[in-house]
Amino acid sequence: MTQIEQLPAPTAHVRLEQTLLVVGVVALGFNLRTAIASLPPIFPELESTLHLSTADVSVLAATPVLCFGVVSGFAAALARRIGEERMLFAAIVALTVGLAVRAAAPGAALFPGTILAGGAIAVMNVLLSSLIKRRWPARAGFLIGLYITALSAGAIVGSVVSVPLWQATGGSVLITLGWLAAPAALAALLWLPQLRRASALAVTPPGDPAGPVAPAASVAPAASDAPAALSASAAVAVYRHALAWQVMFFMGLQSLIYYATLSWLPTILRDRGESAAGAGDLLALMGVGNLAVSLIVPVAAQRMRAQHALVIPTVLAVAAGLAGLVYAPLGGAVAWALILGAGQNAALALAIFFTAARSPHPAAAASLSAFSQSAGYLLAAAGPIGVGLLRSDTGSWTAPVAVLLALTAILLVAGLLAARPRTLPVGQP
């Protein structure tokens, strides 16, 4: 079996497996940002109700990103032990528990529940891209696009619902935060069919002419490939290669800008005279901008040998959208929010795409994803905290926004380097 064209058409069983995989990936993807995007629109209300200081809110905003950085480094290793499918199921269950606990007892469990939820999301962040590369490599761009589209939809729903739900329930923390556990629990149920596929991370051994490209009709490799593949992949220390650092810096900087914006943009807009509901709606419009590019960018990237033509307009959109929302008249805020959202989601799509495209096989993709997200999110955690502290120290948003705009220049350099048509070496330390 050396030529994809010689493979038989997918059977009904394979098509069913592919459909269940798509449903499961979309269900998990939807829950990756709801828990995070739902909080910033009601930060002032939570600050008042739960007696939080500005520093507390800054740390709360940064907590999920810190969890991403700390937990991401362990996700690939855990998946090799129990299998990606099982690890993802454990993560979505943990997310459900974390969201339910922080809503039920916000006084004592706001931070512990957020930490549990953030750690669970970190695992899914890392493993979804490598699972996609392993289970359906021929449609990796399409599946990544679907999962990012679902992620964007979740962010929209989370940011739109928070303020109206808070107002309709008379400021009920239990309901405003607790409803988020419902889609997470549903995703856990929709992921159950994937547990039949649970096995240790498996890839085709380097040198096999059939790998790493799997046939489009297939959604999983042979289990017999696992031992040789895992030993081969273990020999690759991705942090020793400049390409891995370039991918990591692109991932980290786009995340820093995104989470700093997500956390503080509603407050910036409210300080400029926008209403609480209006600020939440503009945050949701960023999500609409996300949706506009969710499917296009990963598919386009997969068809290109190098992705420079995508990186440049992406970074320009991030910089222009952020500057427009902060400095331009509020009458044009809708357009600037859409531009910023499109740029941010294109950056995320490229960052995730790079972790798969710059890897020679799925196990290397898991390692590169873990490295880029672990180190990248630790870098990104400085965004929400730094912006909040700079705002407190200076009494204005000028310095924090100037720093974010300066970072877009570094993001551009990292993206241009990561966009070159290169992959990590196979089986080399």
Side-chain angles (χ1 to χ4, degrees), residues 260-284:
T261 304
L262 180 72
S263 299
W264 293 110
L265 183 61
T267 306
I268 292 173
L269 292 170
R270 290 172 73 166
D271 285 352
R272 294 194 66 199
E274 187 61 71
S275 68
D281 290 344
L282 286 170
L283 193 65

mmCIF file of all heavy atoms in Angstrom, residues 260-284:
data_model
loop_
_atom_site.group_PDB
_atom_site.id
_atom_site.type_symbol
_atom_site.label_atom_id
_atom_site.label_comp_id
_atom_site.label_asym_id
_atom_site.label_seq_id
_atom_site.Cartn_x
_atom_site.Cartn_y
_atom_site.Cartn_z
ATOM 1 N N ALA A 260 -4.574 39.073 26.390
ATOM 2 C CA ALA A 260 -4.574 40.423 26.952
ATOM 3 C C ALA A 260 -5.769 41.207 26.420
ATOM 4 O O ALA A 260 -6.462 41.916 27.173
ATOM 5 C CB ALA A 260 -3.268 41.135 26.606
ATOM 6 N N THR A 261 -6.033 41.073 25.134
ATOM 7 C CA THR A 261 -7.176 41.769 24.524
ATOM 8 C C THR A 261 -8.493 41.208 25.050
ATOM 9 O O THR A 261 -9.412 41.951 25.419
ATOM 10 C CB THR A 261 -7.117 41.631 22.996
ATOM 11 O OG1 THR A 261 -5.871 42.123 22.515
ATOM 12 C CG2 THR A 261 -8.246 42.410 22.339
ATOM 13 N N LEU A 262 -8.602 39.883 25.067
ATOM 14 C CA LEU A 262 -9.825 39.237 25.549
ATOM 15 C C LEU A 262 -10.146 39.656 26.983
ATOM 16 O O LEU A 262 -11.302 39.905 27.333
ATOM 17 C CB LEU A 262 -9.663 37.715 25.471
ATOM 18 C CG LEU A 262 -10.842 36.873 25.936
ATOM 19 C CD1 LEU A 262 -11.981 36.950 24.930
ATOM 20 C CD2 LEU A 262 -10.414 35.411 26.128
ATOM 21 N N SER A 263 -9.108 39.750 27.811
ATOM 22 C CA SER A 263 -9.315 40.041 29.230
ATOM 23 C C SER A 263 -9.673 41.489 29.495
ATOM 24 O O SER A 263 -10.488 41.771 30.378
ATOM 25 C CB SER A 263 -8.035 39.683 30.014
ATOM 26 O OG SER A 263 -7.729 38.317 29.890
ATOM 27 N N TRP A 264 -9.091 42.414 28.755
ATOM 28 C CA TRP A 264 -9.215 43.820 29.121
ATOM 29 C C TRP A 264 -9.964 44.683 28.118
ATOM 30 O O TRP A 264 -10.299 45.832 28.434
ATOM 31 C CB TRP A 264 -7.824 44.401 29.357
ATOM 32 C CG TRP A 264 -7.173 43.802 30.560
ATOM 33 C CD1 TRP A 264 -6.105 42.955 30.581
ATOM 34 C CD2 TRP A 264 -7.562 43.973 31.928
ATOM 35 N NE1 TRP A 264 -5.797 42.585 31.867
ATOM 36 C CE2 TRP A 264 -6.686 43.196 32.716
ATOM 37 C CE3 TRP A 264 -8.570 44.705 32.557
ATOM 38 C CZ2 TRP A 264 -6.792 43.141 34.095
ATOM 39 C CZ3 TRP A 264 -8.679 44.646 33.934
ATOM 40 C CH2 TRP A 264 -7.783 43.879 34.689
ATOM 41 N N LEU A 265 -10.230 44.170 26.921
ATOM 42 C CA LEU A 265 -10.916 45.001 25.932
ATOM 43 C C LEU A 265 -12.293 45.476 26.413
ATOM 44 O O LEU A 265 -12.635 46.658 26.229
ATOM 45 C CB LEU A 265 -11.044 44.269 24.598
ATOM 46 C CG LEU A 265 -11.681 45.089 23.471
ATOM 47 C CD1 LEU A 265 -10.852 46.343 23.172
ATOM 48 C CD2 LEU A 265 -11.847 44.249 22.211
ATOM 49 N N PRO A 266 -13.113 44.611 27.033
ATOM 50 C CA PRO A 266 -14.404 45.125 27.519
ATOM 51 C C PRO A 266 -14.243 46.277 28.511
ATOM 52 O O PRO A 266 -15.008 47.249 28.473
ATOM 53 C CB PRO A 266 -15.036 43.892 28.184
ATOM 54 C CG PRO A 266 -14.420 42.733 27.485
ATOM 55 C CD PRO A 266 -13.003 43.139 27.233
ATOM 56 N N THR A 267 -13.245 46.190 29.388
ATOM 57 C CA THR A 267 -13.016 47.270 30.347
ATOM 58 C C THR A 267 -12.523 48.527 29.648
ATOM 59 O O THR A 267 -12.927 49.651 29.992
ATOM 60 C CB THR A 267 -11.995 46.830 31.416
ATOM 61 O OG1 THR A 267 -12.434 45.607 32.007
ATOM 62 C CG2 THR A 267 -11.856 47.874 32.508
ATOM 63 N N ILE A 268 -11.642 48.371 28.666
ATOM 64 C CA ILE A 268 -11.165 49.516 27.883
ATOM 65 C C ILE A 268 -12.346 50.211 27.218
ATOM 66 O O ILE A 268 -12.474 51.447 27.256
ATOM 67 C CB ILE A 268 -10.140 49.064 26.824
ATOM 68 C CG1 ILE A 268 -8.855 48.577 27.489
ATOM 69 C CG2 ILE A 268 -9.819 50.193 25.851
ATOM 70 C CD1 ILE A 268 -7.851 47.955 26.511
ATOM 71 N N LEU A 269 -13.206 49.426 26.607
ATOM 72 C CA LEU A 269 -14.353 50.005 25.903
ATOM 73 C C LEU A 269 -15.323 50.678 26.871
ATOM 74 O O LEU A 269 -15.884 51.740 26.571
ATOM 75 C CB LEU A 269 -15.070 48.913 25.101
ATOM 76 C CG LEU A 269 -14.272 48.354 23.919
ATOM 77 C CD1 LEU A 269 -14.958 47.115 23.354
ATOM 78 C CD2 LEU A 269 -14.094 49.409 22.832
ATOM 79 N N ARG A 270 -15.522 50.087 28.041
ATOM 80 C CA ARG A 270 -16.395 50.701 29.038
ATOM 81 C C ARG A 270 -15.791 52.002 29.557
ATOM 82 O O ARG A 270 -16.499 52.983 29.803
ATOM 83 C CB ARG A 270 -16.673 49.717 30.178
ATOM 84 C CG ARG A 270 -17.556 48.556 29.743
ATOM 85 C CD ARG A 270 -17.702 47.475 30.791
ATOM 86 N NE ARG A 270 -18.556 47.871 31.896
ATOM 87 C CZ ARG A 270 -19.051 47.020 32.803
ATOM 88 N NH1 ARG A 270 -18.790 45.718 32.688
ATOM 89 N NH2 ARG A 270 -19.810 47.454 33.789
ATOM 90 N N ASP A 271 -14.479 52.043 29.708
ATOM 91 C CA ASP A 271 -13.814 53.284 30.109
ATOM 92 C C ASP A 271 -13.934 54.360 29.031
ATOM 93 O O ASP A 271 -13.899 55.564 29.336
ATOM 94 C CB ASP A 271 -12.339 53.023 30.397
ATOM 95 C CG ASP A 271 -12.126 52.313 31.727
ATOM 96 O OD1 ASP A 271 -13.109 52.168 32.490
ATOM 97 O OD2 ASP A 271 -10.988 51.894 32.006
ATOM 98 N N ARG A 272 -14.093 53.944 27.780
ATOM 99 C CA ARG A 272 -14.258 54.896 26.687
ATOM 100 C C ARG A 272 -15.713 55.350 26.533
ATOM 101 O O ARG A 272 -16.019 56.182 25.677
ATOM 102 C CB ARG A 272 -13.791 54.281 25.368
ATOM 103 C CG ARG A 272 -12.297 53.987 25.285
ATOM 104 C CD ARG A 272 -11.886 53.699 23.849
ATOM 105 N NE ARG A 272 -12.055 54.893 23.017
ATOM 106 C CZ ARG A 272 -12.132 54.864 21.684
ATOM 107 N NH1 ARG A 272 -12.058 53.708 21.031
ATOM 108 N NH2 ARG A 272 -12.287 55.987 21.009
ATOM 109 N N GLY A 273 -16.621 54.797 27.339
ATOM 110 C CA GLY A 273 -18.006 55.227 27.297
ATOM 111 C C GLY A 273 -18.987 54.196 26.770
ATOM 112 O O GLY A 273 -20.198 54.457 26.725
ATOM 113 N N GLU A 274 -18.507 53.008 26.405
ATOM 114 C CA GLU A 274 -19.407 51.962 25.920
ATOM 115 C C GLU A 274 -20.122 51.320 27.107
ATOM 116 O O GLU A 274 -19.586 51.230 28.217
ATOM 117 C CB GLU A 274 -18.589 50.909 25.165
ATOM 118 C CG GLU A 274 -19.405 49.838 24.462
ATOM 119 C CD GLU A 274 -20.323 50.431 23.398
ATOM 120 O OE1 GLU A 274 -19.824 50.882 22.358
ATOM 121 O OE2 GLU A 274 -21.543 50.448 23.653
ATOM 122 N N SER A 275 -21.341 50.865 26.883
ATOM 123 C CA SER A 275 -22.095 50.182 27.946
ATOM 124 C C SER A 275 -21.539 48.789 28.184
ATOM 125 O O SER A 275 -20.783 48.256 27.358
ATOM 126 C CB SER A 275 -23.569 50.073 27.560
ATOM 127 O OG SER A 275 -23.721 49.186 26.451
ATOM 128 N N ALA A 276 -21.921 48.182 29.318
ATOM 129 C CA ALA A 276 -21.452 46.823 29.626
ATOM 130 C C ALA A 276 -21.909 45.842 28.552
ATOM 131 O O ALA A 276 -21.129 45.009 28.071
ATOM 132 C CB ALA A 276 -21.967 46.395 30.995
ATOM 133 N N ALA A 277 -23.190 45.927 28.162
ATOM 134 C CA ALA A 277 -23.699 45.018 27.136
ATOM 135 C C ALA A 277 -23.037 45.291 25.794
ATOM 136 O O ALA A 277 -22.704 44.362 25.052
ATOM 137 C CB ALA A 277 -25.212 45.161 27.012
ATOM 138 N N GLY A 278 -22.823 46.581 25.480
ATOM 139 C CA GLY A 278 -22.171 46.924 24.220
ATOM 140 C C GLY A 278 -20.744 46.413 24.152
ATOM 141 O O GLY A 278 -20.291 45.945 23.100
ATOM 142 N N ALA A 279 -20.017 46.499 25.284
ATOM 143 C CA ALA A 279 -18.648 45.992 25.317
ATOM 144 C C ALA A 279 -18.632 44.478 25.119
ATOM 145 O O ALA A 279 -17.770 43.937 24.408
ATOM 146 C CB ALA A 279 -17.987 46.359 26.646
ATOM 147 N N GLY A 280 -19.581 43.789 25.750
ATOM 148 C CA GLY A 280 -19.671 42.342 25.550
ATOM 149 C C GLY A 280 -20.010 41.983 24.120
ATOM 150 O O GLY A 280 -19.488 41.019 23.570
ATOM 151 N N ASP A 281 -20.884 42.776 23.507
ATOM 152 C CA ASP A 281 -21.249 42.525 22.111
ATOM 153 C C ASP A 281 -20.057 42.724 21.174
ATOM 154 O O ASP A 281 -19.872 41.979 20.207
ATOM 155 C CB ASP A 281 -22.392 43.439 21.691
ATOM 156 C CG ASP A 281 -23.719 43.073 22.354
ATOM 157 O OD1 ASP A 281 -23.813 41.948 22.882
ATOM 158 O OD2 ASP A 281 -24.631 43.917 22.357
ATOM 159 N N LEU A 282 -19.242 43.747 21.453
ATOM 160 C CA LEU A 282 -18.058 43.979 20.619
ATOM 161 C C LEU A 282 -17.047 42.848 20.785
ATOM 162 O O LEU A 282 -16.367 42.456 19.828
ATOM 163 C CB LEU A 282 -17.423 45.324 20.958
ATOM 164 C CG LEU A 282 -18.187 46.553 20.436
ATOM 165 C CD1 LEU A 282 -17.624 47.832 21.025
ATOM 166 C CD2 LEU A 282 -18.126 46.604 18.907
ATOM 167 N N LEU A 283 -16.952 42.311 22.010
ATOM 168 C CA LEU A 283 -16.081 41.149 22.212
ATOM 169 C C LEU A 283 -16.606 39.961 21.414
ATOM 170 O O LEU A 283 -15.833 39.195 20.825
ATOM 171 C CB LEU A 283 -16.015 40.806 23.700
ATOM 172 C CG LEU A 283 -14.919 39.814 24.113
ATOM 173 C CD1 LEU A 283 -13.541 40.414 23.885
ATOM 174 C CD2 LEU A 283 -15.083 39.420 25.575
ATOM 175 N N ALA A 284 -17.930 39.820 21.374
ATOM 176 C CA ALA A 284 -18.529 38.744 20.580
ATOM 177 C C ALA A 284 -18.278 38.969 19.096
ATOM 178 O O ALA A 284 -18.064 38.012 18.341
ATOM 179 C CB ALA A 284 -20.025 38.660 20.853
#
